Amino acid sequence: MTHRLFVAIRPPEAIRDALIDLMEGVDNARWQDEDQLHLTLRYVGETDPHTADDLAEALSAIRVEPFELRVSGVDFFERKGIPHTLWAGIAPSEPLQRLQRKVERACTSVGLAPETRKFAPHITMARLNATCGPSAPFLARNTGLSLGPWPVEDYILYESHLRPQGSLYEPIVTYRCKSP
């Protein structure tokens, strides 16, 4: 049996509600539901139970003080010139970068391959495919999006369960931010 894991920050309810309120205007987009909104610090992927346990323990050793984040703007990721993900951006934050680097070190310390993609902090709002309508009106309408700040007091190890109607994210362990 394997576990499909990731480490993330869950925005507070007010931020999630504000993002949900924006989710319209792109035909056939697969909008995220409230339970799916998070800021991924590290996608881990499929791991065996032993590695999952080691990772949970390594993450518990991280020391980082609570900090604040803000949502800033919207954009999309594309593959071969075709948008596949609409997202809300996160304003630059050195404490967030520091936490992400510590999470990455915890992952590699238990034998996981290093992440090769540059960390691009965001909250996924919708998944897109070739049948979706244009996203330009959504982007233009929300380009100046600014939400928060909100306090980040913890980060979470999640397990992702794939389902036809979209992934179900189950919190496994919540880690409190604490002074080094």
Side-chain angles (χ1 to χ4, degrees), residues 42-44 51 104 107-116:
R42 173 60 145 83
Y43 176 73
V44 176
T51 303
E104 177 64 23
C107 289
T108 58
S109 77
V110 301
L112 297 170
E115 176 58 69
T116 56

Side-chain angles (χ1 to χ4, degrees), residues 24-26 133-143:
E24 62 184 13
V26 181
S135 57
F138 172 85
L139 295 171
R141 192 171 56 252
N142 296 295
T143 191

Side-chain angles (χ1 to χ4, degrees), residues 45-67:
E46 299 286 339
T47 61
D48 62 78
H50 177 72
T51 303
D53 290 343
D54 289 350
L55 177 60
E57 185 175 329
L59 291 170
S60 72
I62 292 175
R63 299 289 181 263
V64 62
E65 291 189 23
F67 57 96

Side-chain angles (χ1 to χ4, degrees), residues 58-106:
L59 291 170
S60 72
I62 292 175
R63 299 289 181 263
V64 62
E65 291 189 23
F67 57 96
E68 290 187 336
L69 289 178
R70 278 185 323 100
V71 171
S72 180
V74 293
D75 210 339
F76 61 89
F77 293 126
E78 62 184 3
R79 197 175 292 117
K80 297 182 181 177
I82 300 170
H84 63 81
T85 304
L86 283 179
W87 50 264
I90 302 297
S93 166
E94 183 50 40
L96 174 62
Q97 295 290 333
R98 206 169 19 257
L99 173 58
Q100 192 277 330
R101 286 190 300 267
K102 289 180 179 194
V103 168
E104 177 64 23
R105 279 195 296 275

Side-chain angles (χ1 to χ4, degrees), residues 106-149:
C107 289
T108 58
S109 77
V110 301
L112 297 170
E115 176 58 69
T116 56
R117 295 170 293 188
K118 183 181 182 307
F119 180 54
H122 67 279
I123 300 170
T124 297
M125 295 179 68
R127 306 282 183 196
L128 309 174
N129 62 35
T131 69
C132 291
S135 57
F138 172 85
L139 295 171
R141 192 171 56 252
N142 296 295
T143 191
L145 178 64
S146 181
L147 302 172

